[in-house]
Amino acid sequence: MNLLLSTLNSKYIHSSLGIYSLAAYLNSCKLPNVNSKLREYTTQTPLLNILADIQPLQPDVIALAVYIWNKEETLRLTKVLKTALPDCIIVLGGPEVSFNAAQVLADNQEVDYIVQGEGEFVLDELLQFLNGAATLPDCVSSRSQLHDSIHAVQDLNTLPFAYTDFSAQELANKIVYYESSRGCPYACSYCLSGISRHVRYKDYALVIQDLSYLLQQEVKQVKFVDRTYNLDTKHYLPIMQFLAAQDTNTNFHFEIKADLLTPQVLEFLRTVPKGRFQFEIGIQTTNPATLAAINRTDNWAKLAENIRTLLSFGNIHLHVDLIAGLPYEDLNTFRQSFNNVHNLGAQILQLGFLKLLHGSTIAEETATHGYKYMPCTPYEVLSNNYLSYAQLRQLKLIEDVVEKYYNSGRYQYTLRYLTQICYKQDAFAFYEQFAAYLKLHNWHLQSLSSKTNLELLLSFITQEELLLAHRVVLNELLHLDSFIAGENWRTEFFVSRIDAPSNKDYLENFWRDNQLVSKYLPDYKFSSWRQVKKLYRMEEFWLDEQRRIYIFDTQTEQLITIDSEDFYRVVQ
């Protein structure tokens, strides 16, 4: 039997831990007469190209992992495959088919079986059934035999490491996904992770063995897919301590619940090498009525305090999430949630929109909350009892502005002044007005370059009446942000003071004086003007009615303040 394990990733950089784990387990079973291969594609790969790659393999069974981002494309692929390979058995698995198997089978005649839940053991049993075993496994449905059971692997230590057969070259330029646990003890109504309410952990020794292999391969990023990584300090802290102690450039991404962090853990995190960890923190809402309705028990005060503490360390990149469209969250309460979360100052703020997933509790409450949503993937909410379609569309425009400006990291000083000073901590009001400005000029319909994005923000600052008294400061801050970003086109919008002809001698005297420059750049030694221009940028600004000279060190990405007397000194 020739078995092909495959899926469609959303991007090339992504990888599929699910089918890797299936392949590793099946290989460890050494099933007689089963020859398995693995192929990954993306949702952008043309169907005929996928078929051309698969057909020569002559698979007897094709098992496809189905997720919210690839369901439509995968179901179209099954039709093409069944037409070209009519005798091939097509098996689907994954969260997008596990909870509505009967409907998927009824609507897609080319699909033969659906594996429900975690598939390692179940796919093994299905293959045995196809080889002549007496009964269809309980967690597999066919058109003639439907089952409701959802399988969960109870002992993760029985599963082999998913990346044993992968080389450094195969893992290069990929996000490598890893799990040290499965399941979630919480029951957030919009999520599928907590359905079993049972968390299962992999033994520390095995986790360290796995991670050591990935470190040896020098992968760029390992993304833990544990649904709430920091549930059990005895489990997660030793793993983090091990990773922090390694001599590596690998970055490790964790999804955490910030209000669970203890003082002991925070003290440890303060010592972690910069760039080693990054945290994704799902806040979703700060509205108490909404939190109760979706079964979340966040301690907002503790959560906010811990996030601010983490940010003060300056060594861990933070990504915080909000969800629009939740129960009892109208535009006013969402505005408050947005401001609460935005004003924490995390590096990334992701504004997502509720999706009514098959099998989730909230999908069963559609009538209660008046949900209208997309009937196809991603099942995104279009309106409910609390937000009209027009209001959700307005939030979509705000999301786009947040992504292009806040999340780009290019406008930190400008946005901080706009939201804190000009809009008096009402960040939502700024993004709302800026989004309306872009819509008025139809810029929201276009994909824009970073240069155009800068031009539009500068235009908004110039034309918005509320900002009249702040235009000089905002222009200077936008110049500073552009200076830090290092855009070659910044001189099209801003005049460089430091490069004025009158400063030519000052610049030469400053950069040739190794002793003077080493006050600010300890390892500095003049070698050539080309080297200076490559490694350092210098500019003069007027901020707080004071002359400020900055050097931006492109190696350390640090902004360094220069004493103007050191620069504008008289040289005999």
Side-chain angles (χ1 to χ4, degrees):
M1 177 190 296
N2 291 327
L3 167 68
L4 176 66
L5 297 164
S6 186
T7 195
L8 308 180
N9 298 318
S10 59
K11 296 179 181 179
Y12 170 78
I13 195 173
H14 296 164
S15 56
S16 179
L17 176 59
I19 62 170
Y20 296 172
S21 187
L22 290 172
Y25 181 75
L26 293 176
N27 288 339
S28 71
C29 293
K30 295 182 172 56
L31 297 173
N33 304 319
V34 174
N35 175 35
S36 64
K37 293 185 181 298
L38 191 151
R39 289 287 191 277
E40 287 181 279
Y41 309 98
T42 74
T43 52
Q44 293 79 42
T45 310
L47 294 182
L48 290 178
N49 289 9
I50 299 175
L51 177 62
D53 189 55
I54 290 177
Q55 192 276 337
L57 302 177
Q58 288 296 298
D60 300 299
V61 179
I62 299 177
L64 298 165
V66 189
Y67 303 92
I68 195 169
W69 61 81
N70 71 8
K71 180 182 178 182
E72 308 300 330
E73 292 84 355
T74 300
L75 291 176
R76 285 198 290 271
L77 176 61
T78 62
K79 293 172 173 57
V80 174
L81 291 172
K82 203 70 163 185
T83 300
L85 301 166
D87 297 326
C88 180
I89 295 171
I90 294 180
V91 181
L92 302 184
E96 265 305 296
V97 295
S98 288
F99 300 94
N100 59 338
Q103 189 66 50
V104 174
L105 289 165
D107 293 344
N108 301 277
Q109 294 299 309
E110 60 282 350
V111 177
D112 299 291
Y113 298 97
I114 291 181
V115 172
Q116 296 158 201
E118 298 170 13
E120 289 91 351
F121 296 162
V122 182
L123 183 57
D124 174 23
E125 293 173 352
L126 174 59
L127 294 174
Q128 293 180 42
F129 171 77
L130 296 176
N131 265 333
T135 59
L136 188 69
D138 288 342
C139 295
V140 176
S141 287
S142 67
R143 203 160 281 101
S144 61
Q145 194 170 351
L146 298 172
H147 291 126
D148 295 327
S149 302
I150 305 295
H151 189 263
V153 176
Q154 296 306 309
D155 185 359
L156 298 189
N157 298 319
T158 60
L159 301 179
F161 180 46
Y163 296 98
T164 300
D165 297 326
F166 286 79
S167 67
Q169 183 177 5
E170 290 171 308
L171 296 175
N173 301 317
K174 291 274 193 179
I175 298 174
V176 176
Y177 296 91
Y178 181 78
E179 59 186 357
S180 69
S181 68
R182 287 184 184 177
C184 180
Y186 303 110
C188 301
S189 65
Y190 53 83
C191 182
L192 300 176
S193 298
I195 285 178
S196 70
R197 305 294 297 275
H198 177 42
V199 182
R200 295 141 286 148
Y201 294 101
K202 195 169 186 177
D203 284 351
Y204 171 78
L206 290 176
V207 172
I208 298 306
Q209 180 178 307
D210 296 346
L211 294 175
S212 296
Y213 178 84
L214 295 176
L215 287 165
Q216 290 168 9
Q217 307 311 308
E218 298 182 345
V219 300
K220 289 186 176 181
Q221 184 181 60
V222 176
K223 191 168 185 178
F224 277 67
V225 296
D226 302 45
R227 300 314 301 161
T228 305
Y229 175 75
N230 64 318
L231 284 171
D232 185 346
T233 307
K234 296 190 297 296
H235 170 76
Y236 80 84
L237 185 56
I239 296 171
M240 280 185 156
Q241 289 170 331
F242 168 79
L243 296 175
Q246 304 308 301
D247 181 13
T248 181
N249 291 321
T250 301
N251 168 262
F252 296 88
H253 177 104
F254 306 93
E255 293 185 29
I256 70 165
K257 199 169 184 295
D259 50 339
L260 296 183
L261 297 173
T262 64
Q264 172 201 9
V265 172
L266 287 169
E267 179 56 28
F268 156 70
L269 292 174
R270 184 182 61 79
T271 68
V272 171
K274 185 175 182 178
R276 183 66 50 85
F277 296 162
Q278 66 183 47
F279 293 159
E280 182 172 351
I281 303 168
I283 299 174
Q284 323 310 9
T285 179
T286 63
N287 181 27
T290 302
L291 288 167
I294 60 176
N295 300 319
R296 284 184 70 92
T297 55
D298 292 344
N299 181 335
W300 168 246
K302 188 65 174 176
L303 190 155
E305 178 188 353
N306 284 349
I307 288 178
R308 291 192 180 99
T309 299
L310 288 170
L311 288 169
S312 73
F313 298 157
N315 60 345
I316 297 175
H317 186 277
L318 298 190
H319 173 146
V320 294
D321 298 334
L322 279 171
I323 296 178
L326 294 171
Y328 307 115
E329 186 92 275
D330 61 18
L331 199 58
N332 287 330
T333 60
F334 184 81
R335 179 193 199 106
Q336 187 60 53
S337 290
F338 181 94
N339 285 336
N340 287 340
V341 174
H342 176 279
N343 294 339
L344 293 173
Q347 286 85 354
I348 297 290
L349 194 168
Q350 181 173 321
L351 171 50
F353 291 79
L354 179 65
K355 297 166 179 59
L356 274 72
L357 305 177
H358 294 296
S360 66
T361 302
I362 205 166
E364 300 171 1
E365 299 172 347
T366 299
T368 302
H369 301 292
Y371 278 116
K372 293 182 180 179
Y373 61 99
M374 294 173 62
C376 55
T377 56
Y379 316 115
E380 190 170 299
V381 168
L382 302 176
S383 66
N384 60 21
N385 290 341
Y386 322 102
L387 288 169
S388 66
Y389 172 76
Q391 290 173 321
L392 277 166
R393 179 59 192 156
Q394 178 184 357
L395 294 179
K396 275 284 187 182
L397 297 178
I398 291 172
E399 175 207 20
D400 186 55
V401 174
V402 170
E403 185 63 28
K404 287 178 179 176
Y405 289 89
Y406 184 92
N407 291 345
S408 73
R410 294 173 179 267
Y411 308 97
Q412 294 182 46
Y413 289 98
T414 308
L415 291 179
R416 188 178 303 139
Y417 188 88
L418 277 165
T419 56
Q420 295 183 3
I421 306 301
C422 302
Y423 286 85
K424 300 177 181 178
Q425 302 286 339
D426 189 355
F428 187 89
F430 160 69
Y431 289 106
E432 183 179 42
Q433 288 191 15
F434 189 26
Y437 174 81
L438 297 178
K439 182 181 180 184
L440 181 66
H441 294 82
N442 291 322
W443 289 109
H444 67 295
L445 300 175
Q446 304 179 38
S447 177
L448 306 174
S449 67
S450 56
K451 176 181 176 181
T452 304
N453 286 333
L454 170 63
E455 189 173 15
L456 289 171
L457 182 54
L458 189 59
S459 174
F460 174 74
I461 289 170
T462 302
Q463 297 184 39
E464 180 59 42
E465 187 174 347
L466 173 67
L467 305 178
L468 178 61
H470 303 278
R471 285 175 189 168
V472 173
V473 175
L474 286 168
N475 190 79
E476 203 71 356
L477 290 172
L478 199 50
H479 186 183
L480 175 59
D481 281 323
S482 298
F483 165 72
I484 294 171
E487 305 293 358
N488 293 328
W489 38 260
R490 65 185 173 86
T491 52
E492 295 182 22
F493 303 101
F494 310 106
V495 175
S496 173
R497 296 188 183 96
I498 209 72
D499 290 335
S502 58
N503 283 335
K504 180 180 178 181
D505 290 340
Y506 292 117
L507 280 166
E508 183 167 341
N509 292 334
F510 179 83
W511 287 111
R512 285 190 179 280
D513 190 334
N514 291 330
Q515 183 176 358
L516 176 62
V517 178
S518 64
K519 287 174 54 178
Y520 306 101
L521 302 166
D523 297 326
Y524 175 82
K525 184 176 181 181
F526 181 83
S527 58
S528 69
W529 289 114
R530 177 179 294 181
Q531 189 73 354
V532 169
K533 291 180 178 180
K534 178 182 178 182
L535 299 179
Y536 311 108
R537 297 195 292 272
M538 178 181 264
E539 184 56 286
E540 179 181 292
F541 301 90
W542 282 94
L543 297 168
D544 300 325
E545 299 183 352
Q546 294 181 25
R547 171 188 279 165
R548 297 180 185 272
I549 299 176
Y550 293 123
I551 290 175
F552 186 77
D553 185 338
T554 61
Q555 300 168 98
T556 63
E557 296 187 345
Q558 288 185 316
L559 189 66
I560 301 162
T561 303
I562 304 300
D563 189 332
S564 60
E565 293 183 1
D566 280 341
F567 183 79
Y568 290 108
R569 62 198 173 100
V570 177
V571 179
Q572 301 299 328

